[in-house]
Amino acid sequence: ARQQSRIMFERVITVELERTDSAAELFRRNCLATRLLSNYAKLHGDGYLKATLVPAIRKLLAQPPGTLTFELNPNKMPESADRDRNLANVERLCSLVIDAIVGSVHNLPPTLRWICNLIYRIVIKRFPDAGYTAVGGFIFLRFLCPAIVAPDAHGICSQITNPEVRRGLLLCTKITHNLANDILFGNKETYMVPLNKFISENRTRTTDFLSEIAELTDDSESLFEGAKSVASSSAAAAAARPSTDYVGSEADTDAGQTDSTGVSTKDFVAVQRFIFDHLDRLEPYLGRESMVRIQAPSKPSDKRRSAHARAIGAAAGEKAAGNGGEANGSSEVTATENLFTQVSYLMRQLGPPPAPAEQAQPKIAVVETTAAAGSEDMFYEILRRD
């Protein structure tokens, strides 16, 4: 399971790269790969996101209401507006946000560092000069910028009702996005050109930040070597989910138990449900990966594993026996089918996932999910218009 989780992320990133014609388009499409990465970042980075942005947003909201003016578009500014003051306000807000981000490099969770390193290593094979741009596309476009443009939707602050504050956050997001992509404002938005100085002054700091988070630490290097590795595969349960079925707690009696890998039954069920519902969509990503090595369980400690973990192990061992491997599953065997065939066989062995328990918690979670999704829609919209 650990190795297949790693293969899955490598596969979806590689396929996304193969379907991209230019480096500037990396992780810009709204597809299964980008949604998987986005939800993975949300799953593992929520605490980091709040710890990084809460102080900056609090300083913004603590300012006297009359001083919070940010409009720079002359077509939207009232005649009495002071454009120079608004420009200074935008720069101060951007400084708060960028300082918080670049200063948080050592707080980024190892799981996100591993993804950043994986993106960098895969992308430079085709676009040697676009490694850090691709990392920025993931960490900024898919993770940080949606939270900057709508922090209230991510639990960073209470609901923002001041339209001036909302406008300031929107402009800050545009600048942060351009900074991450090393792009200056031009003829399309001439009123933003004065902010090019800010982008140039902070370009090196941002590149250094992307360079550092793309480097593996001791924790991230061992991510898939120990018990924490399989937890990353639970991010698949959050991607592309159409309902609250993937949010609520399960009714299994051993839902809180973990097996020898440290993964709970709840996590196994979440992954099982996602794969069961979206198996056809996963085929293009997993169908090309062949000769995957699997481990069939045979140790006595198998009795301590959760019910779903035992089912997965049994399916893998039975398949190995059918392919000429050792029936007792005591040694590592090599599958002759591709990864998608193995996953399909495993789904047939497990059958439909258990129905989630009807609780109030999923209703709360879906509100948060909808709000966060709305912030992403808002962010993508500002990339297309002013």
Side-chain angles (χ1 to χ4, degrees):
R2 291 194 294 268
Q3 184 63 17
Q4 291 187 358
S5 299
R6 184 170 190 166
I7 291 173
M8 180 185 69
F9 279 104
E10 291 176 346
R11 190 65 245 162
V12 296
I13 294 173
T14 300
V15 171
E16 173 66 11
L17 184 65
E18 292 172 350
R19 295 179 176 179
T20 302
D21 296 328
S22 67
E25 299 175 359
L26 285 171
F27 304 111
R28 299 304 191 271
R29 300 185 305 116
N30 191 20
C31 60
L32 179 62
T34 53
R35 292 175 71 182
L36 177 64
L37 290 172
S38 295
N39 283 279
Y40 180 87
K42 293 173 187 175
L43 182 66
H44 291 279
D46 183 66
Y48 162 81
L49 196 65
K50 293 177 181 176
T52 301
L53 295 181
V54 163
I57 300 302
R58 281 180 177 173
K59 289 181 181 179
L60 167 66
L61 299 178
Q63 299 300 314
T67 64
L68 296 176
T69 55
F70 300 94
E71 188 57 71
L72 299 177
N73 190 338
N75 297 326
K76 298 181 179 181
M77 291 174 59
E79 293 182 0
S80 60
D82 186 340
R83 189 174 187 279
D84 291 337
R85 185 182 70 174
N86 292 0
L87 180 62
N89 287 342
V90 172
E91 290 181 343
R92 279 195 292 269
L93 174 57
C94 290
S95 294
L96 282 175
V97 172
I98 297 302
D99 288 348
I101 292 173
V102 299
S104 68
V105 62
H106 298 298
N107 299 327
L108 192 72
T111 47
L112 297 190
R113 275 183 175 267
W114 180 83
I115 286 292
C116 290
N117 176 264
L118 182 63
I119 291 173
Y120 177 80
R121 287 189 290 106
I122 292 177
V123 168
I124 60 174
K125 293 178 181 179
R126 181 176 178 186
F127 302 112
D129 299 328
Y132 296 139
T133 302
V135 173
F138 164 63
I139 207 72
F140 279 96
L141 177 64
R142 295 291 168 179
F143 181 50
L144 291 170
C145 284
I148 296 172
V149 76
D152 46 350
H154 289 75
I156 295 173
C157 64
S158 58
Q159 184 176 2
I160 297 176
T161 57
N162 188 334
E164 287 288 347
V165 173
R166 186 72 73 185
R167 180 61 175 171
L169 291 170
L170 189 148
L171 294 177
C172 178
T173 304
K174 292 172 71 73
I175 296 166
T176 303
H177 173 262
N178 279 25
L179 184 58
N181 289 279
D182 196 15
I183 298 175
L184 298 177
F185 292 102
N187 295 332
K188 182 180 178 181
E189 297 170 308
T190 55
Y191 65 90
M192 296 290 288
V193 169
L195 276 306
N196 286 342
K197 179 182 177 182
F198 177 87
I199 294 177
S200 299
E201 291 174 347
N202 289 274
R203 177 181 291 142
T204 301
R205 300 174 66 205
T206 305
T207 302
D208 290 344
F209 169 77
L210 295 174
S211 173
E212 287 193 60
I213 65 174
E215 293 290 333
L216 291 179
T217 61
D218 291 341
D219 289 340
S220 52
E221 283 177 342
S222 61
L223 186 61
F224 280 83
E225 302 300 328
K228 291 187 284 186
S229 61
V230 187
S232 65
S233 64
S234 64
R241 61 192 181 201
S243 67
T244 61
D245 290 350
Y246 307 103
V247 186
S249 59
E250 305 298 333
D252 300 329
T253 57
D254 59 345
Q257 298 177 0
T258 60
D259 65 4
S260 59
T261 66
V263 180
S264 67
T265 299
K266 177 182 175 181
D267 288 336
F268 272 118
V269 171
V271 175
Q272 178 191 357
R273 185 177 296 116
F274 172 77
I275 296 176
F276 185 85
D277 290 346
H278 302 282
L279 190 60
D280 56 335
R281 299 178 62 189
L282 290 171
E283 183 174 7
Y285 297 90
L286 306 180
R288 305 180 188 180
E289 195 68 40
S290 59
M291 304 301 290
V292 178
R293 301 187 68 83
I294 58 177
Q295 182 74 30
S298 63
K299 299 179 181 180
S301 59
D302 185 64
K303 296 180 180 179
R304 296 194 298 270
R305 304 176 69 192
S306 66
H308 282 80
R310 290 196 299 272
I312 291 174
E318 182 179 336
K319 186 64 176 176
N323 288 333
E326 296 183 30
N328 60 9
S330 61
S331 62
E332 192 177 61
V333 295
T334 302
T336 57
E337 298 87 355
N338 59 38
L339 182 58
F340 177 76
T341 302
Q342 295 181 38
V343 172
S344 299
Y345 180 83
L346 181 59
M347 288 298 101
R348 291 196 300 271
Q349 296 299 309
L350 291 175
E358 293 293 334
Q359 296 182 2
Q361 181 181 357
K363 298 182 180 179
I364 298 175
V366 75
V367 172
E368 296 177 350
T369 302
T370 303
S375 70
E376 290 190 13
D377 293 339
M378 183 188 303
F379 173 60
Y380 300 144
E381 180 65 20
I382 68 175
L383 298 182
R384 296 188 292 269
R385 62 168 178 79
D386 175 25

